[in-house]
Amino acid sequence: MKKIVLAAAAAFTLTSTAALAAEAGPELLKRQWTFDGATGKFDKLQLQRGLQVYREVCASCHSLKYVAFRNLTALGYSEDQVKALAAEYEFKAIDEEGSDVTRKGTPADHFPNPYPNDNFARASNNGALPPDLSLMTKARVGGPNYVYSLMQGYEDPPPGTELLAGMNYNKYFPGHQIGMPKQISDDQVTYADGTKASAEQISADISAFLHWAAEPKLEARHATGFRVMIYVLIFTILAYLLKRKIWARLEKK
Amino acid sequence: MSTEKSVWRRAYEWHEQRLPIVSFLDHSIGTKYPAPKNLNYFWNFGSLALFMLAVMILTGIFLAMNYTAHKDMAFDSVERIMRDVNFGWLIRYMHANGASFFFIVVYVHIFRGLYYGSYKAPREVLWWIGILIFLAMMATAFMGYVLPWGQMSFWGATVITNLFSAIPVIGDPIVTFLWGGFSVDNPTLNRFFSLHYLLPFVIAALVFLHIWALHIPGSNNPLGIEAAPADKIPFHPYYTSKDAFGLGFFMLFYFAVVFWAPNAMGHPDNYIPANPLVTPPHIVPEWYFLPFYAILRAIPDKLLGVVAMFGAILVLFVIPWLDTSRVRSASFRPWFRVFFWLFVINAVVLTWCGAQLPEGLPLIQGRIATIYYFVFFLVIMPVLGWIETPKPLPASISTPVLKPAE
C-alpha cells in the first residue's frame, strides 16, 4: 500500500517535469564563452572588438549608461588611450558665464545616450524605444547566448505570418516581431586587430562585450570565489576533525 | 604568586558580579546547557538560521549605506553598488542569495520539527514563536525584493499588496493605506525600505524568545522521548563543534552560489528598471513564496484564495492539537512517515506549480496539491493519531529499541 502511494506521488511529480520540457520555444544558439565556468575570464581582445562593434553599430540607437569610459581600462586600454577615446565624445556643459557650451568627454563620463530623450528616440524608431544595453545579458533569459542568437535570428517570416508595419521577423525574439532591423552581417565592421568579421564572429564579440558591461566584476568574483572556497574547505575539514576529536571523549566514558 | 589572581581575572569577576553576561551565555549555549546526546545533523539548521540572520543584517547595513530609496534612483544606486562600491558586488550577492539560503535553512528546520514532532507538548510556545519568525521573514523578504525597483520588484509588490483588496468593504482603503497613494509608487518604496530595515531586528528579538522558550523544556531529539540527565551532554564543546562543522559544510554551498551562480535564483526581469506602463508577461515571486502563490491561484475565488494562502501558514499554529498522536518522532510512526514524505513531495509540486501559468495541467496539479496540503494537517494528523499503531518506544536514549515479537 505504501509503495502504491509513493509511486502515485512519483508519477504526479514526473508529469510536472514533462510539462515543463514541452514548454520550451526555439532553442537558443549556444556558444562556449571564455567567461563560462568557475574560473572563466573575459577575452580582452574579444571585448575590444565588441567595443568597436558597439561604437560602430549599436551606439547609433542604444545607450550604455552604466559604463563609464574609465571602466574601459579593464579591456586592456591604457589610461591615455581611454582619455583619447573619451575626448572623441562631446557633452553639454555650462561655462562660468552660465552659457550653454559643449565640452570634450573625460574618463569619468559615461557613454552618452544617442537621443536627447525617450520621445525623440521613439519618434526616430517607428515608435519603438531602443533599450539601454548596460544590463542586457542579465535582463534576458539565456544571457549572452540570447544576444548572440538574436543577432543571427533574422529571417524571412514563415508564410502566413503578417508582420506589423515597420516590424522585422526574428525567430529568437519573444513573439518574433521586433522593431530593430537586422544589424549584423558579414564584414559589417573591419576589425582593427585583423580578425575576420563574419556575422557569427561579430555577434559573439558584441555579446561578450555586453556581458562584460553587465557584469564587470565577473573576473574578480571568480578569483575571490576560488580563494574563499579553498579557505572554507580547509575550515570545514579542520572543524570536522575537531568535532571528531571532541566527540571521541564520549565513547571513552 | 600562583594563588594570586591576575588583573584580568579580577576585572572579569568584578564585571560578572555586576552583569553576569559570560555566565548567561554559558548557560544558554555553553557548558551549562545540557542537550540530548543523540541529535542528528538536522539539528544543525537552527544555528545555521541564526548565522544567516547575522549575515543578512550585516550585509544589509552596508547595503543601506549605499542604497537610495527613491523610485528614480533606487535602480541606479543598486548598479552603483555593483560597479563602484568596493566589494559592493560581493555584499549585494551575499544579501540577495542569502535570502534564498535563509529560507532553505528555515524550511529544513521546519520540516525537521514536523518529522520529529517538535511542535508537541511541552514545546507549543516554542513552535508558535517559530511561526512568527517565519511570518516576519516572509514580510521582510517580500519588502526587500521590492527595493531594487526592477520590473519584478514593482509588479510583485503590485500583485501582493493588491491581495488585501480581497477583504470585503475595507479592502480597498487598506491597499491605499499600504501604498501611501493610489498605486505602488515612491511612498510605497520609502515605507518598504523603512520596514525592511526594522523587521530584521524584530526577528532578532523573536529569535531571542525562541531560544528562551527552547531552554525551558530543552531540545527535542530524533527519538522524541524525554532525555534523561544521563543522556545529555553539554552544548559546549559538543554541539558548538558540531555546529561549526555544519556551518563550514553549509558555507561551501552558499558561497558556491554567491561566487559562481549569483543570478541563478533571481529573475532576469529584475534587471529591467521598474516601468508602471509595461506589465511583464508572467509575474512570479521569489522561489520561496511559490508554494503559497500556487495555493492562492489554485482557488478560483480571490477572497477564498487569499484566505487559503494565509490559512496555509496559520494552520501551523494549531497543529500541536490537530496531531492527536502522543508519539513525537515519526521514526516510530510507520504511517505518519509515509504521509510526511508525501507532504514534502507535495510541497515541491506546489513550488513548481507556483512558477507556471495557472492554466491546464499545472492548475489541476496545483489544486490537487493544495487539497493534500490541507488534508495532511486537518484530516490525516487528527485521524492518524487515533488509528495508527506506533512502534514500541525505547525506555531511554541509551537503551536500544526492543524488536517487537515476530
Side-chain angles (χ1 to χ4, degrees), chain A residues 124-167:
Chain A
S124 321
N125 288 284
N126 192 30
L129 178 66
D132 183 78
L133 296 184
S134 319
L135 285 163
M136 194 45 74
T137 64
K138 279 158 77 177
R140 294 291 183 277
V141 177
N145 283 323
Y146 171 78
V147 177
Y148 178 65
S149 304
L150 190 80
M151 290 302 109
Q152 302 177 75
Y154 288 90
E155 53 185 37
D156 291 332
T161 312
E162 209 172 302
L163 279 183
L164 297 168
M167 299 298 262

Side-chain angles (χ1 to χ4, degrees), chain A residues 204-248:
Chain A
D205 293 344
I206 187 62
S207 304
F209 172 73
L210 289 182
H211 196 57
W212 167 78
E215 190 71 6
K217 305 291 176 169
L218 177 140
E219 288 186 8
R221 174 158 65 74
H222 285 175
T224 313
F226 210 70
R227 281 182 232 126
V228 169
M229 289 300 270
I230 289 172
Y231 180 90
V232 175
L233 190 66
I234 292 171
F235 168 83
T236 309
I237 293 168
L238 289 179
Y240 176 69
L241 295 174
L242 178 72
K243 184 255 169 192
R244 280 236 320 219
K245 197 171 159 94
I246 289 170
W247 280 69

Side-chain angles (χ1 to χ4, degrees), chain B residues 21-352:
Chain B
I21 195 155
V22 176
S23 315
F24 174 76
L25 285 175
D26 198 34
H27 279 92
S28 308
I29 50 167
T31 58
K32 302 279 177 6
Y33 174 52
K37 68 178 184 182
N38 62 335
L39 301 185
N40 60 31
Y41 276 104
F42 284 107
W43 264 263
N44 280 55
F45 285 82
S47 71
L48 288 180
L50 186 62
F51 171 76
M52 282 319 300
L53 177 63
V55 167
M56 295 307 279
I57 289 180
L58 281 174
T59 52
I61 287 170
F62 285 97
L63 286 177
M65 291 177 193
N66 294 289
Y67 170 77
T68 308
H70 187 285
K71 70 184 172 86
D72 295 332
M73 289 178 256
F75 193 92
D76 288 355
S77 75
V78 171
E79 275 310 309
R80 190 184 156 270
I81 290 170
M82 293 298 288
R83 291 159 192 268
D84 291 335
V85 173
N86 291 336
F87 285 100
W89 57 270
L90 176 58
I91 299 168
R92 172 159 176 266
Y93 279 152
M94 279 179 74
H95 197 76
N97 288 290
S100 280
F101 276 85
F102 199 178
F103 273 95
I104 290 172
V105 163
V106 163
Y107 279 136
V108 175
H109 191 62
I110 295 172
F111 276 123
R112 190 268 288 152
L114 277 177
Y115 187 85
Y116 293 111
S118 300
Y119 49 88
K120 294 185 193 184
R123 297 186 181 82
E124 300 93 327
V125 174
L126 171 61
W127 176 255
W128 283 349
I129 297 168
I131 303 166
L132 290 179
I133 293 172
F134 181 48
L135 286 168
M137 273 178 68
M138 293 176 99
T140 311
F142 162 65
M143 289 189 280
Y145 192 64
V146 176
L147 302 185
W149 212 241
Q151 271 291 67
M152 230 21 116
S153 299
F154 179 87
W155 289 99
T158 303
V159 169
I160 301 299
T161 47
N162 251 317
L163 293 180
F164 291 91
S165 71
I167 302 169
V169 187
I170 54 164
D172 285 329
I174 287 181
V175 174
T176 308
F177 177 75
L178 288 175
W179 286 342
F182 299 102
S183 68
V184 174
D185 208 334
N186 198 46
T188 326
L189 177 60
N190 269 286
R191 62 191 55 200
F192 277 20
F193 180 50
S194 169
L195 294 173
H196 183 71
Y197 208 115
L198 167 71
L199 279 180
F201 298 97
V202 174
I203 294 176
L206 286 168
V207 166
F208 181 82
L209 292 178
H210 194 60
I211 296 173
W212 185 6
L214 169 70
H215 280 72
I216 306 302
S219 290
N220 185 26
N221 65 77
L223 296 177
I225 57 175
E226 294 302 324
D231 289 327
K232 287 188 173 180
I233 50 178
F235 192 84
H236 179 72
Y238 292 102
Y239 286 111
T240 42
S241 65
K242 193 173 178 176
D243 281 350
F245 165 57
L247 175 63
F249 192 73
F250 165 77
M251 283 197 294
L252 288 173
F253 292 90
Y254 174 42
F255 283 123
V257 172
V258 165
F259 287 109
W260 294 330
N263 293 308
M265 285 187 276
H267 199 292
D269 276 19
N270 228 27
Y271 280 111
I272 303 170
N275 185 348
L277 299 176
V278 179
T279 315
H282 188 192
I283 302 170
V284 279
E286 291 282 84
W287 70 266
Y288 37 80
F289 292 136
L290 290 175
F292 304 103
Y293 197 52
I295 291 175
L296 168 77
R297 300 191 303 177
I299 291 166
D301 181 82
K302 187 178 177 185
L303 176 59
L304 289 179
V306 173
V307 169
M309 184 180 72
F310 283 107
I313 298 164
L314 298 181
V315 70
L316 295 172
F317 279 105
V318 288
I319 63 166
W321 297 275
L322 286 174
D323 189 340
T324 51
S325 172
R326 289 195 184 168
V327 177
R328 287 198 194 99
S329 172
S331 307
F332 302 103
R333 300 186 60 193
W335 275 103
F336 180 78
R337 205 159 59 193
V338 173
F339 288 114
F340 170 83
W341 285 112
L342 278 178
F343 183 77
V344 175
I345 294 168
N346 193 63
V348 175
V349 170
L350 274 176
T351 307
W352 177 81

